[in-house]
Amino acid sequence: MKKYTYTESKDTRSGFGAGLLAAGRKNPEVVALCADLVGSLKMQDFINEFPERFVQVGIAEANMIGIAAGLTIGGKIPFTGTFANFSTGRVYDQIRQSVAYSDKNVKICASHAGLTLGEDGATHQILEDIGLMKMLPGMTVINPCDYNQTKAATEAIAEFHGPVYLRFGRPVVPVFTPADQKFEIGKAWMVNEGKDVSIFATGHLVWEAILAGEKLAEMGIDAEIINIHTIKPLDEEAVLKSAAKTGCVVTCEEHNRYGGLGESIAQLLSTNTPTPMEFVAVDDSFGESGTPAQLMKKYGLDSSNIIEAVQKVMKRK
């Protein structure tokens, strides 16, 4: 098992803020819009440097999406920012009609995704957003794992033409990917090569998969861990190659088991090479208030749950 260490923990939303500023410095067409959550989205540095390229829409998320779509007509590259719940569920019609159907170059950037925004509770958490967004034709869906990868992803989508949903979170998590990484949209990242089981993880669950992999190695189980940061388009070649090698699969995500990464991988495997599979995800439930750690444990999203899923799926090989 390859060892991963870290010297600091940061929130992935801060990676977005840093990436937005870097993208703005590279390209004068990059603009930002926010729905009254500048602090939560870490957009202040961009605003300080480029005040003329920022629009504070206020608590009017549907208007924000419409304005962003309009800005693309003049060649701008708009990044919208609010909580994931308000970035998707509240404005789904506007995204479908004005962005996806029209193939507008809008970057929908969503913080506080999943359970780990914590104490704000179920009304602010969302566990359906990946499913909502991946079903839209032409929509790219990205869910990076740490600060560095979120920063790199933010810079990469500024150079990519087409609608994008970029998902990130509130809690501080270990920073373990390289600061100088090249983010390739649609290309999975091999975390650890193994031969006994394939663990496909996304977002905050990548670090939990690494922790699980270390414990599995002590148990004599050689886990292959792959970071699926781009859920759509899915790196089908990487998934099929790994599943063929190991013969069993576990998917890990901070999302409902319906509609997320696991469902995409299950569809791919069932139509190519049916493979025993287990899901580490929220089991068709809304969340509740609690600390991120408490919620991850209660809803079965920590390293111990990944280990249990691995042990279960390996018996089905």
Side-chain angles (χ1 to χ4, degrees), residues 167-213:
R167 183 189 206 247
F168 42 92
R170 177 186 189 182
V172 295
V173 294
V175 180
F176 61 94
T177 68
D180 61 349
Q181 66 189 276
K182 177 178 172 55
F183 188 89
E184 296 183 65
I185 296 171
K187 184 68 174 177
W189 176 51
M190 178 66 73
V191 178
N192 184 74
E193 294 193 37
K195 65 179 187 302
D196 295 330
V197 60
S198 299
I199 301 175
F200 299 107
T202 188
H204 294 147
L205 270 290
V206 176
W207 181 251
E208 294 297 322
I210 290 171
L211 296 178

